[in-house]
Amino acid sequence: MYTEKVMDHFQHPRNVGEIENASGVGTVGNAKCGDIMRIYLDIDENQIIRDVKFKTFGCGAAVATSSMATELVKGKNIQEAMEVTNKAVMEALDGLPPVKVHCSLLAEEAIHAALWDYAEKNGIRIEGLEKPKSDVHEGEEEEEEEY
Amino acid sequence: MERLIYLDNAATTKTSPEVVEAMLPYFTEHYGNPSSVYGFAAANKEVIIRQREIIAGVLGAKGNEIYFTAGGTEADNWALIATAEAYAAKGRHIITTKIEHHAILHTCEYLQKRGYEVTYLDVDENGLVDPKAVEDAIRPDTILISVMFANNEIGTVEPIAEIGKIAKEHGILFHTDAVQAFAQIPFNVDECNIDMLSASGHKLNGPKGIGFLYIRTGVKIRSFIHGGAQERRRRAGTENVPGIVGLGKAVELAAASMQERTEKESRLRNHLISRIEKEIPCCRLNGDRVKRLPNNVNFSFQFVEGESLLIMLDMKGICASSGSACTSGSLDPSHVLLAIGLPHEIAHGSLRMTLGADTTEEELDYVVDSLKEIVAQLRNMSPLYEDFVRRQKNQEN
Ligand SMILES: Cc1ncc(COP(=O)(O)O)c(C=O)c1O
C-alpha cells in the first residue's frame, strides 16, 4: 500500500520529540478524524530553522508526512519553509495512496501553524502566511475518560 | 519474514487440509452437473443432500431447510430483501441493530430507499442488545427482526434465545446473522426460535465464497437469484459442488471439535486479555467480558492510532485488524465501536485479535511483548499522550 520511502519514514521517523521553549509550536488536525500533528520550531535570530521536532497521532501516512516535512524545513529560512507544501512532501515520499492524500495536508498546516505562533510571539509578519484555521486548542482540559 | 502469527480469524481462516482434500475430487473426477440425468453426474445430487444433513444436524434443523449461497453476504441479502418483498402486504417495518455487519446494514439502507422503515436498536457499552428494547420497537407493521448472533468486531454474543422468544410471541419472523457464531457456540434453531440464519464457510476453516441460509419450513420467502430449478427453486445456479463439499467437511470438523477447541481458545483468550490489562496502561477491553466469542479479543489503546499499530505489528509478523478510520477508507472509525459509546479518538486506537484453532500461548506471549513495545513507541510519538502526561504533572503540582 505504501512506498518504500513512506515505510522508511514510518519505521524510522526523523525528528520525533519536543523542543523546550520553542520559537513556535503548531498543533493541527483533530482526534475525531484520527490525525493530530504537532510541530515545534527552533528559529534563530537570522530566521533560520535551526531545529524542528514533531509528535503525531495518526496512521502510517500521517507519521511519514510529519517526518518528511520536518526534514524538508530543517536548516531552511522561514520564507523557504513556506514553500514546503503538501505536494512537495508527497513528492518527496514518492506519493501516497489516494485515500491518504488528506494526511499530507496536515503537515503543511502544522508547519504554518508553528510559523504563525513564531510570528505572533515576535510581532512579525511572514509573507503569504495566514492564520491557521484548524489549530486545536492546546492544553484544553477535555473531559476524557481514562481507562 | 521469519514468523507469521495469524490473529485475524474473524476476517477469514485457513482452509484446513482435510477440507481441501475432500474438495479436490469434485473438481477433476466428480465434476458432473448435479442436475444431469446420467448416473455419473446425478450422484453429486446425493452428495449435496448429505452436506445439507450434516449442517442441519448441527443446527437441529432439517436438511431441506438449508440453502447454499455464495457466502454470508448473499445469505444476509437474501433473508432481508426476500422477506421484505414477500411480507410487504403485512407491513414494511424491520427491526435490527446498530452493530450489524455491513451485509445487513447496507441491505437495510437499500430497503429504506424502497419504502421500508428500519429501526436500528442501540446497544449498551458492552455491545449487548436489550431484548426489552426489541419488544418495545415492535409495531403492527413489523415483518422482520434481524439481530446478529455474535458481533464480528467486539465478539459480544447477543441474547438470541430471548429475542427469538419475543419474535415468536408476536408472530414476527426472526433472522440472525450467525456468521461468527456458527460452530463456535452450541445452539439449536428451535430452542432459539430462529426462522432464518446466515452462515459462511471461510470463518470455520472452510472455503471462501460458500455459505448457507437456513430457512425454517413454512417461511414463504422466494428466490433471490433467478434461473434454474436448483435448491428447490429458491436459489438458482449450478451448485458449487466442491464448495458445498468443503463447507460440509468444515462444519463436520468444526462441530466435532467445538467443545475442546473453544475451551482452549477461551483459556488463551483470557490469558491474552489479562496480560494486556496488567501490562499495558490506559487500555480498554471492548465487548462483553463474559458473553463473548471464545476467540475474540478487542482492545482500545488510548493515544495511539490503529493503522500505525497494525503496520508495526505486521513488521513483527503479527496479523490483526483495527476499527480505525484509516483502515476502513472512510473518515469515521467503526460503527460498532461508536455504537458502544467510545469517543472517536479512542475508537481510532482499537485492535482486534481473533484466535484460531492453531493459536498457541507462546505466540500470544510474543504478541503481548511486541504490543507493549509498540504501544510505548507510538505513545512516545503522540501529541495526545504528551498532553496527557502534562495534565497529570499539573495535577500533581
Ligand atoms: C457477521 C458477519 N456477517 C457477514 C459476513 C460476510 O460473510 P461472507 O464474507 O461469507 O460474505 C461476515 C464476514 O465478513 C461477518 O463477520
Side-chain angles (χ1 to χ4, degrees):
Chain A
M1 173 166 89
Y2 290 131
T3 65
E4 254 172 62
K5 280 248 178 73
V6 173
M7 284 307 286
D8 176 41
H9 276 263
F10 174 72
Q11 290 179 50
H12 311 286
R14 325 314 192 241
N15 309 311
V16 174
E18 300 160 43
I19 297 177
E20 262 189 67
N21 305 316
S23 320
V25 185
T27 306
V28 298
N30 68 65
K32 202 165 179 256
C33 339
D35 284 319
I36 296 181
M37 216 172 268
R38 178 173 297 159
I39 288 199
Y40 295 86
L41 297 174
D42 175 20
I43 301 173
D44 71 11
E45 58 286 358
N46 300 318
Q47 302 197 326
I48 306 281
I49 298 173
R50 229 175 359 206
D51 197 11
V52 48
K53 295 276 185 218
F54 83 90
K55 290 229 168 158
T56 290
F57 165 86
C59 60
V63 173
T65 50
S66 315
S67 167
M68 182 54 91
T70 58
E71 285 280 275
L72 292 178
V73 300
K74 202 169 179 171
K76 301 261 168 75
N77 70 39
I78 55 176
Q79 274 310 326
E80 289 165 338
M82 284 297 293
E83 284 155 30
V84 175
T85 58
N86 67 300
K87 195 157 162 275
V89 174
M90 238 169 43
E91 276 167 10
L93 288 168
D94 296 336
L96 284 174
V99 293
K100 300 288 188 176
V101 172
H102 71 273
C103 301
S104 69
L105 299 175
L106 276 189
E108 181 185 322
E109 282 174 25
I111 293 170
H112 288 187
L115 286 172
W116 180 267
D117 183 42
Y118 163 76
E120 286 226 303
K121 278 181 185 157
N122 292 278
I124 58 167
R125 251 200 86 233
I126 299 175
E127 182 81 31
L129 183 63
E130 284 167 27
K131 190 171 163 46
K133 46 183 183 320
S134 56
D135 203 357
V136 296
H137 303 292
E138 263 207 74
E140 191 187 41
E141 285 293 330
E142 283 170 74
E143 272 315 308
E144 262 173 50
E145 245 185 285
E146 278 152 32
Y147 301 105
Chain B
M1 194 186 318
E2 319 81 42
R3 231 187 143 159
L4 187 82
I5 298 180
Y6 186 74
L7 293 180
D8 205 12
N9 287 282
T12 196
T13 58
K14 175 168 97 181
T15 314
S16 68
E18 291 103 311
V19 168
V20 175
E21 204 182 314
M23 290 170 73
L24 284 176
Y26 291 90
F27 289 103
T28 49
E29 287 169 53
H30 313 298
Y31 53 81
N33 188 324
S35 303
S36 300
V37 172
Y38 36 87
F40 149 74
N44 282 349
K45 227 183 179 80
E46 294 306 313
V47 171
I48 293 174
I49 291 170
R50 231 170 15 248
Q51 311 313 310
R52 270 196 241 288
E53 298 292 340
I54 291 171
I55 295 167
V58 177
L59 289 172
K62 296 190 281 291
N64 63 10
E65 295 174 316
I66 305 299
Y67 297 84
F68 294 110
T69 64
T73 302
E74 185 194 319
D76 284 343
N77 273 260
W78 184 10
L80 264 53
I81 294 173
T83 304
E85 286 175 354
Y87 291 81
K90 184 191 163 202
R92 290 177 158 253
H93 179 235
I94 294 167
I95 298 169
T96 186
T97 78
K98 288 191 175 156
I99 61 162
E100 298 297 312
H101 190 270
H102 284 136
I104 294 288
L105 292 179
H106 290 168
T107 306
C108 285
E109 285 163 24
Y110 168 92
L111 288 170
Q112 280 177 292
K113 289 200 194 101
R114 279 152 188 82
Y116 291 84
E117 273 183 78
V118 181
T119 300
Y120 299 93
L121 296 173
D122 285 319
V123 293
D124 72 6
E125 71 277 10
N126 293 324
L128 283 166
V129 176
D130 179 2
K132 177 80 173 47
V134 176
E135 184 149 39
D136 291 345
I138 293 174
R139 315 192 312 208
D141 60 343
T142 305
I143 51 173
L144 177 68
I145 296 169
S146 179
V147 176
M148 70 197 318
F149 210 115
N151 183 268
N152 47 304
E153 286 187 44
I154 57 174
T156 300
V157 179
E158 300 298 342
I160 290 303
E162 286 168 80
I163 297 169
K165 186 161 170 272
I166 291 166
K168 185 170 183 169
E169 280 164 10
H170 290 80
I172 297 166
L173 289 180
F174 179 41
H175 166 257
T176 185
D177 174 341
V179 168
Q180 295 289 341
F182 179 58
Q184 291 276 10
I185 299 169
F187 65 89
N188 174 301
V189 286
D190 286 342
E191 284 164 15
C192 296
N193 290 306
I194 294 165
D195 295 308
M196 283 174 282
L197 174 145
S198 308
S200 178
H202 71 106
K203 311 285 184 181
L204 37 107
N205 303 104
K208 295 170 181 56
I210 186 82
F212 67 86
L213 180 65
Y214 156 80
I215 308 175
R216 181 180 290 283
T217 306
V219 173
K220 62 172 187 187
I221 78 170
R222 290 171 230 166
S223 122
F224 177 61
I225 304 287
H226 308 283
Q230 292 89 356
E231 303 286 299
R232 290 182 305 292
R233 295 182 191 279
R234 271 177 151 169
R235 202 284 189 180
T238 301
E239 296 87 342
N240 174 0
V241 183
I244 291 170
V245 169
L247 175 61
K249 191 71 189 172
V251 170
E252 186 183 330
L253 293 170
S257 68
M258 180 152 38
Q259 194 181 351
E260 199 186 332
R261 175 171 43 90
T262 57
E263 270 172 18
K264 181 194 139 197
E265 281 177 1
S266 305
R267 190 181 57 73
L268 290 176
R269 173 198 70 188
N270 295 344
H271 173 69
L272 181 56
I273 291 174
S274 89
R275 268 205 70 189
I276 290 175
E277 287 185 324
K278 269 200 213 100
E279 299 177 37
I280 303 181
C282 301
C283 67
R284 175 197 203 267
L285 177 71
N286 296 316
D288 196 277
R289 212 169 267 276
V290 181
K291 294 169 190 151
R292 185 176 199 100
L293 285 172
N295 72 343
N296 175 291
V297 174
N298 187 314
F299 270 98
S300 288
F301 298 98
Q302 232 181 320
F303 320 117
V304 306
E305 193 277 331
E307 193 208 70
S308 290
L309 204 54
L310 291 187
I311 302 175
M312 302 264 249
L313 286 168
D314 184 30
M315 289 176 335
K316 291 186 177 286
I318 301 164
C319 310
S321 78
S322 166
S324 98
C326 267
T327 57
S328 70
S330 81
L331 281 180
D332 281 320
S334 124
H335 64 283
V336 177
L337 298 175
L338 295 180
I340 61 173
L342 292 194
H344 273 71
E345 68 270 25
I346 292 173
H348 283 298
S350 79
L351 179 70
R352 178 186 76 178
M353 293 173 281
T354 40
L355 323 189
D358 302 335
T359 307
T360 67
E361 184 165 330
E362 189 270 324
E363 284 181 331
L364 297 181
D365 284 333
Y366 169 79
V367 169
V368 179
D369 294 343
S370 305
L371 200 53
K372 266 163 72 172
E373 232 174 80
I374 292 169
V375 170
Q377 209 175 329
L378 288 172
R379 282 183 177 160
N380 193 33
M381 215 193 279
S382 166
L384 295 173
Y385 188 63
E386 184 184 313
D387 293 346
F388 169 72
V389 171
R390 197 173 294 148
R391 275 203 302 275
Q392 278 199 321
K393 275 207 191 113
N394 287 345
Q395 271 167 16
E396 277 164 25
N397 296 340

